[in-house]
Amino acid sequence: MFRYPRTIAIPTSNVVLALALLTACGGGGSTNPGGNSASPFKAIIDGVAWNSTTSTAVSSTGGIFTIVGSQISANVTSMSMTFYSIGVPGTYPLGVTGSVAGGIGTVTTGTSSWSTPLTGAAGTVTISAVSATRIVGTFQFNAIPQLGQAVTTTRAVSQGEFNLAVSGAATLVVPDGAGSKVTGTVAGVPFNAAVVVSVTAPSSGTLSIAGSNTTHTLNFIISGYTGAATYALGTGAARTIAVTTGSPSKVWGGSNATSSGTVVITSATSTRIKGTFTATLLPSLINPNEPAITLSGTFEKGLP
């Protein structure tokens, strides 16, 4: 079973250093100490207006952006967001790792920090405009305490907006192999992977893809893989989908339970595989008394 971290920890010291550098350089937002409704980076945090007095957007090769801002008040609150594989306008999930097109959000107040959990659906960012010189969008997300924090409350960020100049030499061309996804429904519940990996290279003749979030792990194994085609499950060949969830672990499908359905590869190139899946999975020997589950959805896997 693929394992994933509960949160992505961003050391508070790094955020403080970034904010200090922004202040020294003049940032790019309002310099009004009380915040400003015209701030190019703002949101509502737990029902209270937050306006960055120092903000920046940084782009590195491959459409990776980092935004950092802070509201200077009696209790300094900063916010940072990192976006992965963003080359065109669109709506992307927050609460994912760099293997998925989307991003993470973090709020820091004093010495406590909260980040989007790896649910694959902790929030969204809608990019309305993006270029080598400017990025514009709106966002909302929920964040939980980072590991090791004494606080137990969560933070709700809503009505977020940014309209920021991009600093440095930006490259918006996202590599064809970046930005994978597995999305759909599992037992009627929406699923969006926060992490997507390949276990074997398709050139081996077996397509193996895993997509995980904090609730489920989906593992696809398609032997006899030859590219774009329809692959039937449960026909005697080693072609299975397994769903793992919970603690203690429960498993449906896989090699020791009957599966029916299909995996359809709609497109296959040297850098990306796309497809759809529909399946009914019986419980494994680990949890034989559970009811069968159905799942369906789409996937894309970028290849190195």
Side-chain angles (χ1 to χ4, degrees), residues 10-233:
I10 300 177
T12 302
S13 58
N14 289 359
V15 175
V16 172
L17 176 59
L19 294 174
L21 291 173
L22 290 173
T23 303
C25 296
S30 166
T31 57
N32 178 7
N36 191 319
S37 61
S39 168
F41 184 23
K42 60 185 179 179
I44 293 176
I45 302 177
D46 299 330
V48 179
W50 176 90
N51 299 285
S52 176
T53 54
T54 58
S55 54
T56 189
V58 178
S59 174
S60 61
T61 301
I64 300 175
F65 293 85
T66 299
I67 298 173
V68 180
S70 179
Q71 178 172 282
I72 308 301
S73 60
N75 199 2
V76 177
T77 295
S78 61
M79 187 185 305
S80 65
M81 290 188 291
T82 299
F83 307 137
Y84 311 109
S85 303
I86 303 298
V88 296
T91 297
Y92 300 89
L94 298 177
V96 301
T97 66
S99 63
V100 177
I104 60 173
T106 297
V107 174
T108 299
T109 300
T111 60
S112 298
S113 293
W114 297 256
S115 289
T116 46
L118 296 183
T119 60
T124 57
V125 57
T126 298
I127 306 296
S128 56
V130 59
S131 70
T133 59
R134 182 161 293 274
I135 183 168
V136 182
T138 59
F139 61 93
Q140 57 82 26
F141 63 83
N142 292 312
I144 63 174
Q146 290 187 353
L147 291 176
Q149 299 289 321
V151 295
T152 59
T153 56
T154 59
R155 308 297 297 266
V157 178
S158 62
Q159 299 183 42
E161 300 178 22
F162 55 84
N163 186 337
L164 297 166
V166 174
S167 61
T171 302
L172 294 181
V173 179
V174 178
D176 288 341
S180 301
K181 72 175 184 178
V182 178
T183 185
T185 60
V186 176
V189 178
F191 172 86
N192 190 62
V195 185
V196 180
V197 299
S198 289
V199 181
T200 60
S203 58
S204 69
T206 298
L207 177 65
S208 181
I209 297 173
S212 295
N213 60 23
T214 53
T215 305
H216 297 92
T217 296
L218 274 61
N219 284 291
F220 300 79
I221 298 178
I222 306 297
S223 65
Y225 173 79
T226 57
T230 297
Y231 299 88
L233 307 176

